[in-house]
C-alpha cells in the first residue's frame, strides 16, 4: 500500500537535491544519482502451513555500486513499499560512502508480516527470495544482510539456498550470520554501539560528559537496546523507551524517573522489540502514550524505531533542554521537520552517519569471510570505534569549515565520493 502523504523516496531525493546544489552537480549526474541503477520486483509463491498457496511480493533495489559491491539489508514488513526500499537503497549508498568502506548501496524487502508467519513459512519466503534473485546477488555483486524483522536465521536459510544453487561455499554472500557459521563478533552490537560512539563524539565537542546526560529512545529493538547498553556503560541514564504494541496496534512509552534497567526490560521484551506493558507496570514503570518519548526533559533524543517519526506536527513538542537528536533509525526526520529543527540549537546527527555501525561491521564480516580468518570481539569493536570516530570527525570538521549543518556536511562528503567514483569509471 503506497501512502500518499508519506513517501520516503521523495524525502531521500529532496535531501540528495540539496547536496547536489551544494556540490553544483550537472544535470546528468543528478539524474543518474537520484534514481536507483537496478530494480528487481518479483513474487515468491509459498505453500503455507495450512496447505494453501500464498504469493508474496518482493524487491531488491541497487541504488549505486560505483564504489564496490552493493550492500543492504532485507526487510520483512507488512507495509513495505517499493519507494521505502528505493529510499533505503539510496541511503545505503551515502552510508557506505560516508563511512568510507568500499561498498555501494542496496536494499531489499518482502511484503509480509512475520508476526503471523510460522518459522517454516518464513524459511520458504527466505529461500524463495534467493531463488528469484540468484543471478544478481553474491559477494562480488550485492550482499544482503538482516534488517527490520529479519535476523541471522533468515540469513542462514538464504545463504544455504544460495550455496545449494551455486554449488560453492560463499559465506561472504550474506552478512549478519550466526557467529558459528561465519558471522562476526560485534555484529549484533554494532549499529547501536555506533549510534552511541557518534553521540559520545558529539558530546565531547559540546564539552559534556556522558555521565551527566539523560536520554530518551524511540524503539527498543536491536539498535536501541545496544545503544542503551553502551550508554549505560558510559554512565548515561535512559529515562524512557517507546515500542510498538502489535496487539493494540499502537505505540507506548515506558519511563522510569531514575532510569530504566536494561536487563530487566529485556526480560519482558519479545523478539520484535515489543515490551509487555502489564509486566513493566508491575516493575514500577510508568506507561505513557507513544509520543511521550519525544516530550521528555532530557539531553538526548534517539529515534531508533522506524522512518517518518519526527514531523512538522510533533517537533514543536521537543523540550527546550534537548541538545542532541541522534538518528538511529533510517529516515526518522521529515525534511519539513528538519527545517524547523535546523532553526533551533539542537545538534542533529544524521541517520546515515549515526547508524553506519551495522554496515561497517557487516563489511568486517565479509572481509573475515574472504580471508577465512576471524578477529576477536575486542579487535572488531575497536576497529568499529575507529571507523565511526573517523567518519564523525570528517563530517564535523567539514561542517565547521564550510558553515554547514551535520546532515549537509555528511551528504556533501558522501555524494562527492560517489560522484568521483562514477566519473572515474566514465559513467557520468
Ligand atoms: P527492530 O525491529 O529490532 O526494532 C524496532 C523497534 O521499534 C521495536 O522496539 C519496535 O517495537 C519499535 N517500533 C516500531 N514502530 C514503532 C512506533 N511507531 N513507535 C514506537 N516504536 C516503534 O529494528 P532495529 O534493527 O532496531 O532497527 C531500528 C531502525 O534502525 C530501523 O529504522 C532500521 O532501518 C534502522 N537500522 C537498523 C540497523 C541494524 O543493524 N539493525 C542498522 C542501521 C539502521
Amino acid at each position: 500500500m503506497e501512502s500518499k502523504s508519506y513517501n520516503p523516496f521523495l524525502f531521500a531525493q529532496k535531501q540528495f537535491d540539496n547536496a547536489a546544489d551544494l556540490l553544483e552537480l550537472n544535470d546528468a549526474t543528478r539524474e543518474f544519482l537520484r534514481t536507483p541503477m537496478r530494480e528487481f520486483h518479483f513474487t515468491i509463491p509459498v505453500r503455507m502451513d495450512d496447505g494453501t498457496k500464498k504469493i508474496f511480493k518482493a524487491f531488491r533495489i541497487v541504488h549505486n555500486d560505483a564504489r564496490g559491491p552493493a550492500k543492504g539489508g532485507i526487510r520483512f514488513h507488512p507495509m513495505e513499499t517499493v519507494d521505502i526500499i528505493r529510499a533505503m537503497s539510496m541511503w545505503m549508498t551515502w552510508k557506505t560512502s560516508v563511512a568510507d568502506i568500499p561498498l555501494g548501496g542496496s536494499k531489499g524487502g518482502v511484503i509480509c508480516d512475520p508476526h503471523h508467519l510460522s518459522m517454516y513459512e518464513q524459511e520458504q519466503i527466505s529461500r524463495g527470495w534467493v531463488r528469484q534473485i540468484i543471478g544478481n546477488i553474491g559477494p562480488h555483486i550485492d550482499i544482503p544482510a538482516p534488517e527490520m524483522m529479519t535476523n541471522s536465521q533468515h540469513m542462514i536459510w538464504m545463504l544455504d539456498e544460495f550455496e545449494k544453487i551455486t554449488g560453492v561455499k560463499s559465506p561472504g554472500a550474506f552478512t549478519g550470520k550466526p557467529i558459528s557459521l561465519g558471522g562476526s563478533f560485534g555484529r549484533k552490537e554494532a549499529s547501536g554501539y555506533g549510534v552511541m560512539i557518534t553521540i559520545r563524539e558529539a558530546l565531547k565537542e559540546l564539552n559534556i560528559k556522558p555521565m551527566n546526560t539523560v536520554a530518551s529512545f524511540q524503539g527498543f529493538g536491536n539498535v536501541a537496546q545496544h545503544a542503551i547498553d553502551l550508554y549505560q556503560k558510559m554512565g548515561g541514564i535512559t529515562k524512557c523507551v517507546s515500542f510498538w504494541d502489535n496487539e493494540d496496534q499502537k505505540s507506548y512509552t515506558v519511563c522510569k524517573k531514575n532510569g530504566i534497567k536494561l536487563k530487566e526490560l529485556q526480560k519482558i521484551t519479545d523478539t520484535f522489540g515489543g515490551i509487555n506493558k502489564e509486566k513493566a507496570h508491575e516493575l514500577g514503570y510508568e506507561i505513557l502514550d507513544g509520543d511521550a518519548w519525544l516530550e521528555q526533559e532530557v539531553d538526548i533524543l534517539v529515534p531508533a524505531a522506524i522512518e517518518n517519526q519526527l514531523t512538522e506536527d510533533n517537533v514543536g513538542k521537543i523540550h527546550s533542554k534537548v541538545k542532541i537528536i541522534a538518528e538511529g533509525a533510517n529516515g526518522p526526520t521529515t525534511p519539513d521537520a528538519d527545517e524547523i529543527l535546523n532553526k533551533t540549537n539542537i545538534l542533529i546527527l544524521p541517520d546515515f552517519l549515526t547508524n553506519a555501525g551495522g554496515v561497517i561491521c557487516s563489511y568486517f564480516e565479509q572481509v573475515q569471510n574472504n580471508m577465512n580468518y576471524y578477529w576477536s570481539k575486542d579487535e572488531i569493536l575497536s576497529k568499529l570505534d575507529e571507523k565511526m570516530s573517523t567518519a564523525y570527525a570528517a563530517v564535523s570538521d567539514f561542517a565547521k569549515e564550510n558553515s554547514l549543518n551535520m546532515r549537509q556536511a555528511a551528504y556533501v562528503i558522501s555524494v562527492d565520493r560517489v560522484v568521483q567514483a562514477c566519473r572515474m569509471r566514465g559513467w557520468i
Side-chain angles (χ1 to χ4, degrees):
M1 193 172 61
E2 210 88 337
S3 157
K4 283 201 179 69
S5 54
Y6 168 63
N7 186 329
F9 187 44
L10 297 182
F11 291 175
Q13 286 185 317
K14 193 168 173 188
Q15 289 170 341
F16 166 74
D17 290 342
N18 291 338
D21 288 344
L22 287 166
L23 282 162
E24 297 178 2
L25 298 181
N26 64 32
D27 287 348
T29 306
R30 284 169 194 252
E31 195 181 335
F32 185 61
L33 287 176
R34 74 197 302 283
T35 33
M37 291 174 64
R38 294 192 291 279
E39 287 198 3
F40 304 95
H41 300 209
F42 46 92
T43 48
I44 308 170
V46 169
R47 185 167 303 285
M48 307 299 281
D49 291 351
D50 64 5
T52 59
K53 273 262 174 181
K54 202 165 169 192
I55 312 300
F56 293 90
K57 205 166 175 215
F59 314 98
R60 185 68 179 175
I61 294 180
V62 175
H63 172 259
N64 190 282
D65 60 4
R67 286 172 43 86
K71 185 90 195 75
I74 302 173
R75 298 155 56 98
F76 281 6
H77 200 278
M79 304 300 282
E80 204 61 273
T81 70
V82 64
D83 275 345
I84 293 177
I85 305 292
R86 284 182 180 128
M88 301 248 165
S89 70
M90 199 177 197
W91 287 327
M92 282 306 295
T93 303
W94 312 140
K95 196 181 297 194
T96 52
S97 176
V98 83
D100 207 10
I101 50 180
L103 297 168
S106 59
K107 201 67 128 191
V110 181
I111 304 176
C112 68
D113 187 355
H115 290 100
H116 305 298
L117 292 166
S118 70
M119 290 308 276
Y120 182 71
E121 289 164 342
Q122 291 187 48
E123 179 178 349
Q124 299 318 304
I125 294 175
S126 302
R127 290 183 184 278
W129 192 89
V130 170
R131 285 195 297 275
Q132 298 292 50
I133 190 81
I134 185 87
N136 293 288
I137 54 171
H140 306 295
I141 304 171
D142 178 13
I143 308 124
E147 235 267 15
M148 203 169 266
M149 290 204 261
T150 55
N151 56 40
S152 56
Q153 178 60 76
H154 299 90
M155 294 308 109
I156 282 302
W157 287 326
M158 289 185 175
L159 177 66
D160 186 63
E161 194 68 21
F162 183 86
E163 291 181 342
K164 259 187 201 157
I165 298 170
T166 58
V168 180
K169 292 287 178 204
S170 314
F174 291 83
T175 60
K177 302 179 293 294
I179 306 272
S180 58
L181 279 174
S184 174
F185 285 115
R187 176 61 187 87
K188 71 175 187 319
E189 293 91 347
S191 301
Y193 275 25
V195 170
M196 206 37 74
I197 291 165
T198 312
I199 292 174
R200 183 196 68 200
E201 295 304 296
L203 285 172
K204 241 186 243 170
E205 291 197 308
L206 296 174
N207 218 3
I208 302 173
K209 289 197 167 67
M211 57 163 55
N212 297 331
T213 62
V214 178
S216 177
F217 283 72
Q218 187 189 38
F220 195 60
N222 176 278
V223 175
Q225 289 185 33
H226 289 103
I228 293 169
D229 176 32
L230 187 56
Y231 186 48
Q232 289 190 346
K233 286 175 182 152
M234 287 168 15
I237 290 176
T238 302
K239 191 174 166 196
C240 297
V241 297
S242 76
F243 66 97
W244 180 255
D245 187 299
N246 205 50
E247 230 172 73
D248 295 358
Q249 287 291 300
K250 66 184 287 253
S251 56
Y252 293 98
T253 304
V254 303
C255 295
K256 220 176 216 178
K257 205 169 169 217
N258 297 328
I260 63 138
K261 292 203 175 91
L262 180 63
K263 292 219 161 70
E264 174 182 86
L265 271 190
Q266 282 173 325
K267 280 189 196 138
I268 56 166
T269 300
D270 65 26
T271 52
F272 302 107
I275 298 172
N276 182 322
K277 54 185 187 306
E278 287 76 26
K279 287 194 178 150
H281 183 65
E282 282 167 24
L283 289 166
Y285 287 87
E286 216 182 333
I287 315 293
L288 305 172
D289 266 359
D291 251 3
W293 73 277
L294 177 92
E295 300 163 13
Q296 302 301 313
E297 186 182 339
V298 292
D299 307 287
I300 303 163
L301 290 177
V302 187
I306 51 168
E307 56 284 346
N308 192 33
Q309 294 304 299
L310 300 184
T311 66
E312 55 184 333
D313 296 331
N314 67 12
V315 285
K317 295 181 189 168
I318 293 175
H319 199 279
S320 58
K321 197 183 168 207
V322 171
K323 296 174 190 70
I324 294 176
I325 296 177
E327 296 180 336
N330 289 315
T333 311
T334 67
D336 289 339
D338 206 29
E339 246 174 62
I340 299 170
L341 289 169
N342 283 332
K343 291 183 189 132
T344 70
N345 287 329
I346 302 174
L347 176 65
I348 303 185
L349 305 176
D351 50 4
F352 66 93
L353 169 70
T354 309
N355 69 29
V359 75
I360 290 172
C361 203
S362 273
Y363 163 63
F364 293 157
E365 181 175 335
Q366 221 210 356
V367 170
Q368 293 169 86
N369 292 151
N370 294 345
M371 295 189 296
N372 208 7
Y373 176 77
Y374 291 81
W375 298 321
S376 70
K377 187 169 178 180
D378 283 351
E379 213 170 340
I380 288 161
L381 291 181
S382 89
K383 283 185 203 302
L384 173 72
D385 201 321
E386 191 195 324
K387 268 275 176 210
M388 289 297 303
S389 315
T390 305
Y392 178 89
V395 172
S396 177
D397 292 350
F398 192 82
K400 283 183 211 132
E401 280 158 21
N402 296 282
S403 305
L404 299 173
N405 62 43
M406 289 290 280
R407 193 185 311 277
Q408 288 171 320
Y411 259 106
V412 170
I413 289 175
S414 59
V415 171
D416 190 47
R417 285 179 184 154
V418 176
V419 167
Q420 296 310 328
C422 292
R423 277 202 191 128
M424 280 190 270
R425 286 177 182 276
W427 291 355
I428 48 174

